[in-house]
C-alpha cells in the first residue's frame, strides 16, 4: 500500500512551503518521499519535484491560447489533467513501490468544494494505484484575528471535507505568526476546537459590515456546529516537534501506523484508541483505516474481535 498527503488550501496558506518542510522532515525520520507538483501556476518550486504538471500543461500557455484569466485557466488545467490522468499514473508508477507521496495542489479553492475535476483525479489515482491519502487543508492562522474571516474559513473547511470525501485534517498554518496580527478575542483552543461559535456573535456585531448579516452569520455558524466535523491542528513548519505531532495525526488518519504490523484485531484496536503521545518511533513502518472518531473506530474493531472469537 502506498501512503501520502493531498495538500490543499487557499492561496497564501503555505502549501508549497508545507510540502518543502514536510518532505525534509519525513526524510529525516527515514522515509523516501516524492513531491508531486500539480499546480500549473507554481513556477518557483523550493523543492525537487518527482512529477511536475508543467511537463503536461502550463497555465501561461492556456491563458494565452484560450484568452482565459488565472482562475479559468486553472479550471482548464485540472480538466485537462483529469482527461490525461493516464499520464500522471505512468509518472507515479515507478514511485509507488517505496515512496511516500506529497501532492501539491493549486490554491484555487473552487477546485475542492465546487468543481469535480480535482476530486475525480484523486479518486482515479486511489483506485488505480491503491493509494491511502489524507487531505491536509491549510488555513492561514491570521484569519482567527477576524471573526468574519474565521467563519468563512470554517465554511470552506466543512465544504471541502464533504466534497472530497477523504480522511481530512484541517491545519492552522503559520501559527508562529498569529500574534503579529493582534490579540485574539479568545484563547487559541477556542479556534482549534470549534465548539461554541455563539461567542463570536458579539465580536461580529462590532463590525458594521458583519452586523448587517447577523442572522445569516448565525445560521452559517449553526451549520458548522450541527455537522460537528471541523476542528484544527496547528502548525509551525519550522518547529520539528510541531511537525512531528502533525505527522502522527496524519499517520493515524490514513492508516500508515498499521502497515507492516502483523497483529490481531485486539492489537489494532489498542493502537487505534491510543493517545497521540504513544511511542511513535517504535514502529518504523506504518493497514489503512479511514479517519473516523476514536470511539467509532474502537467500536468497529471490537466488533471485529467478537466476530473473530465466534469464528474460532
Amino acid at each position: 500500500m502506498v501512503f501520502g498527503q493531498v495538500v490543499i488550501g487557499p492561496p497564501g496558506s503555505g502549501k508549497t512551503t508545507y510540502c518543502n518542510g514536510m518532505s525534509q522532515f519525513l526524510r529525516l525520520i527515514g522515509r523516501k518521499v516524492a513531491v508531486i507538483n500539480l499546480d500549473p501556476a507554481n513556477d518557483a518550486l523550493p523543492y525537487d519535484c518527482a512529477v511536475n504538471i508543467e511537463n503536461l500543461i502550463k497555465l501561461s500557455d492556456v491563458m494565452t491560447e484560450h484568452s482565459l484569466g488565472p482562475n479559468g485557466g486553472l479550471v482548464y488545467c485540472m480538466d485537462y489533467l483529469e482527461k490525461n490522468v493516464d499520464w500522471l499514473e505512468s509518472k507515479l508508477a515507478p514511485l509507488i513501490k517505496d515512496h511516500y507521496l506529497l501532492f501539491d495542489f493549486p490554491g484555487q479553492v473552487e477546485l475542492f468544494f465546487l468543481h469535480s475535476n480535482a476530486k475525480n483525479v484523486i479518486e482515479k489515482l486511489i483506485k488505480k494505484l491503491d493509494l491511502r491519502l489524507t487531505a491536509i487543508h491549510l488555513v492561514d492562522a491570521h484569519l482567527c484575528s477576524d471573526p468574519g474571516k474565521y467563519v468563512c474559513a470554517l465554511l470552506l473547511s466543512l465544504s471541502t471535507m464533504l466534497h472530497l470525501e477523504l480522511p481530512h485534517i484541517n491545519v492552522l498554518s503559520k501559527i508562529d505568526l498569529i500574534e503579529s496580527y493582534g490579540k485574539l478575542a479568545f484563547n487559541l483552543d477556542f479556534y482549534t476546537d470549534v465548539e461554541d461559535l455563539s461567542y463570536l456573535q458579539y465580536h461580529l456585531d462590532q463590525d458594521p459590515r458583519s452586523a448587517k448579516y447577523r442572522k445569516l452569520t448565525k445560521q452559517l455558524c449553526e451549520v458548522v456546529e450541527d455537522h460537528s466535523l471541523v476542528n484544527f491542528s496547528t502548525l509551525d513548519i519550522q518547529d520539528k516537534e510541531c511537525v512531528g505531532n502533525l505527522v502522527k495525526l496524519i499517520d493515524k488518519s490514513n492508516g500508515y501506523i498499521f502497515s507492516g504490523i502483523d497483529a490481531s484485531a485486539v492489537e489494532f484496536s489498542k493502537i487505534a484508541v491510543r493517545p497521540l503521545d504513544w511511542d511513535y518511533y517504535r514502529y518504523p513502518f506504518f493497514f489503512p483505516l479511514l479517519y473516523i472518531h476514536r470511539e467509532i473506530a474502537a467500536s468497529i474493531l471490537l466488533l471485529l474481535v467478537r466476530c473473530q472469537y465466534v469464528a474460532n
Side-chain angles (χ1 to χ4, degrees):
M1 292 168 287
V2 186
F3 299 89
Q5 304 173 29
V6 173
V7 184
I8 58 177
S13 58
K15 297 181 295 299
T16 299
T17 302
Y18 172 90
C19 288
N20 186 32
M22 180 59 71
S23 63
Q24 294 180 33
F25 180 87
L26 293 174
R27 291 188 182 104
L28 283 174
I29 62 175
R31 301 188 197 179
K32 295 183 68 174
V33 182
V35 186
I36 296 90
N37 176 43
L38 296 181
D39 183 359
N42 194 351
D43 54 1
L45 299 172
Y47 53 76
D48 294 327
C49 56
V51 182
N52 193 340
I53 192 176
E54 285 204 338
N55 295 326
L56 175 69
I57 188 170
K58 293 184 178 181
L59 178 62
S60 57
D61 294 342
V62 170
M63 292 171 62
T64 301
E65 183 177 348
H66 299 282
S67 300
L68 294 172
N71 290 340
L74 281 172
V75 174
Y76 183 97
C77 289
M78 285 296 106
D79 283 337
Y80 190 83
L81 177 62
E82 181 186 357
K83 294 178 180 178
N84 294 274
V85 71
D86 292 343
W87 172 86
L88 183 55
E89 291 174 7
S90 66
K91 295 292 184 181
L92 293 176
L95 302 173
I96 61 175
K97 297 178 182 179
D98 57 357
H99 281 76
Y100 186 99
L101 307 179
L102 294 176
F103 293 90
D104 188 0
F105 271 88
Q108 188 179 2
V109 296
E110 299 97 311
L111 295 173
F112 305 101
F113 76 88
L114 183 60
H115 298 289
S116 61
N117 40 31
K119 176 184 178 181
N120 293 339
V121 168
I122 295 169
E123 287 182 343
K124 289 177 182 178
L125 292 177
I126 290 174
K127 291 178 181 179
K128 291 286 187 67
L129 303 178
D130 193 26
L131 304 183
R132 300 292 186 270
L133 302 176
T134 292
I136 307 301
H137 184 235
L138 300 178
V139 174
D140 197 321
H142 91 270
L143 298 181
C144 296
S145 62
D146 186 316
K149 293 179 180 178
Y150 176 68
V151 172
C152 291
L154 293 176
L155 288 171
L156 175 61
S157 300
L158 177 60
S159 301
T160 304
M161 294 175 75
L162 297 176
H163 184 70
L164 289 182
E165 298 179 316
L166 285 174
H168 192 108
I169 298 174
N170 297 302
V171 178
L172 289 176
S173 62
K174 308 177 187 178
I175 199 66
D176 52 313
L177 302 177
I178 192 169
E179 292 183 356
S180 64
Y181 298 102
K183 186 178 180 181
L184 298 178
F186 306 98
N187 60 35
L188 187 59
D189 289 344
F190 173 84
Y191 299 95
T192 57
D193 295 344
V194 194
E195 289 186 345
D196 192 348
L197 298 178
S198 62
Y199 288 106
L200 281 177
Q201 200 65 57
Y202 170 79
H203 296 277
L204 287 166
D205 291 345
Q206 305 309 303
D207 185 347
R209 295 170 299 175
S210 301
K212 63 185 298 186
Y213 302 111
R214 189 176 190 278
K215 291 183 179 179
L216 175 61
T217 304
K218 181 180 179 182
Q219 293 298 319
L220 293 175
C221 289
E222 288 178 359
V223 169
V224 174
E225 290 182 320
D226 288 346
H227 279 81
S228 191
L229 291 173
V230 181
N231 55 28
F232 292 96
S233 298
T234 57
L235 176 66
D236 173 4
I237 196 63
Q238 297 180 334
D239 186 331
K240 290 183 179 180
E241 183 178 356
C242 189
V243 177
N245 289 333
L246 181 59
V247 170
K248 294 176 187 181
L249 190 58
I250 295 169
D251 287 349
K252 272 199 168 187
S253 70
N254 62 20
Y256 188 86
I257 58 171
F258 300 99
S259 66
I261 300 176
D262 184 14
S264 65
V266 174
E267 291 302 316
F268 282 133
S269 66
K270 290 180 180 179
I271 296 172
V273 301
R274 193 174 294 165
L276 290 177
D277 58 352
W278 61 307
D279 188 10
Y280 179 77
Y281 297 106
R282 175 184 170 190
Y283 300 96
F285 301 101
F286 290 115
F287 207 168
L289 187 69
L290 283 177
Y291 178 73
I292 47 182
H293 292 297
R294 189 176 295 170
E295 294 82 7
I296 301 175
S299 299
I300 293 174
L301 289 167
L302 181 59
L303 180 60
L304 290 175
V305 173
R306 289 174 177 173
C307 291
Q308 187 180 48
Y309 177 79
V310 172
N312 293 334

